[in-house]
């Protein structure tokens, strides 16, 4: 059932919807991972890492909403359910229990790197079929890359 008619051709819509859905899954998982580490980080840099993790959560949640609403605007039902995120995310295993600040930063560097790699692929895939969706993905990727840089600098 299509409630909203997309301005894109069926072929282009398939490409764009896959890119948007993949981005949604990765962004939802990134917010969850950052919040999990946020709750469990310990160490001398606790406060700065704790606060930076909340920045990532806010960034990921903001962009996931934008991505989901773009999908809906194109007539594609976005799926951010836990089960969908669990099977579709490109982020590896999140540390369990208390996480030393250095390990927390390393985990975020890895998680952000994984999401950025997949986002850049989506940016490329959407260039021709839908520059509007591509622009949304570019914006999200820019914010993620800034956080990636900041976390990398944290462990020097």
């Amino acid at each position: 059932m299509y409630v909203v008619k997309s301005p894109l051709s069926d072929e282009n819509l398939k490409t764009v919807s896959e890119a948007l859905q993949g981005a949604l899954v990765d962004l939802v998982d990134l917010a969850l991972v950052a919040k999990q580490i946020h709750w469990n980080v310990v160490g001398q840099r606790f406060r700065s890492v704790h606060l930076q993790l909340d920045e990532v959560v806010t960034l990921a949640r903001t962009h996931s909403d934008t991505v989901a609403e773009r999908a809906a605007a194109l007539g594609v039902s976005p799926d951010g359910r836990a089960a969908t995120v669990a099977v579709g995310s490109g982020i590896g295993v999140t540390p369990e229990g208390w996480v030393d600040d250095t390990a927390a930063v390393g985990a975020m560097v890895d998680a952000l790197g994984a999401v950025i790699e997949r986002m850049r692929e989506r940016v490329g895939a959407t260039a021709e079929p839908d520059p509007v969706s591509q622009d949304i993905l570019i914006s999200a990727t820019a914010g993620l890359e800034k956080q990636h840089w900041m976390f990398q600098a944290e462990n020097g």
Side-chain angles (χ1 to χ4, degrees):
M1 169 178 89
Y2 289 101
V3 176
V4 177
K5 174 70 175 124
S6 175
L8 303 178
S9 70
D10 288 345
E11 180 182 342
N12 287 347
L13 182 60
K14 181 180 185 318
T15 299
V16 172
S17 66
E18 288 172 359
L20 292 171
Q21 179 59 39
L24 176 61
V25 164
D26 282 347
L27 290 165
V28 168
D29 198 25
L30 182 63
L32 293 170
V33 167
K35 192 50 95 169
Q36 178 65 27
I37 295 172
H38 166 90
W39 293 323
N40 287 285
V41 66
V42 294
Q44 291 183 346
R45 296 178 296 159
F46 164 79
R47 183 162 173 73
S48 64
V49 173
H50 184 79
L51 294 173
Q52 190 175 355
L53 287 162
D54 267 342
E55 291 177 20
V56 173
V57 171
T58 299
L59 176 78
R61 287 179 178 166
T62 298
H63 285 295
S64 66
D65 191 52
T66 302
V67 165
E69 289 179 355
R70 178 62 184 161
L74 293 174
V76 176
S77 175
D79 188 354
R81 297 173 300 157
T84 303
V85 172
V87 299
S89 175
I91 299 174
V93 177
T94 304
E96 187 176 328
W98 301 116
V99 183
D100 166 87
D101 53 6
T102 300
V105 169
M108 287 308 300
V109 167
D110 292 346
L112 285 159
V115 173
I116 290 165
E117 181 179 339
R118 289 165 50 118
M119 290 295 279
R120 284 188 158 272
E121 291 171 5
R122 295 173 184 124
V123 165
T126 55
E128 182 64 32
D130 186 23
V132 176
S133 293
Q134 183 195 41
D135 186 55
I136 289 168
L137 297 173
I138 288 170
S139 177
T141 304
L144 295 169
E145 288 178 347
K146 180 178 180 182
Q147 286 296 325
H148 191 236
W149 155 59
M150 294 175 85
F151 273 107
Q152 289 179 80
E154 187 77 33
N155 272 351

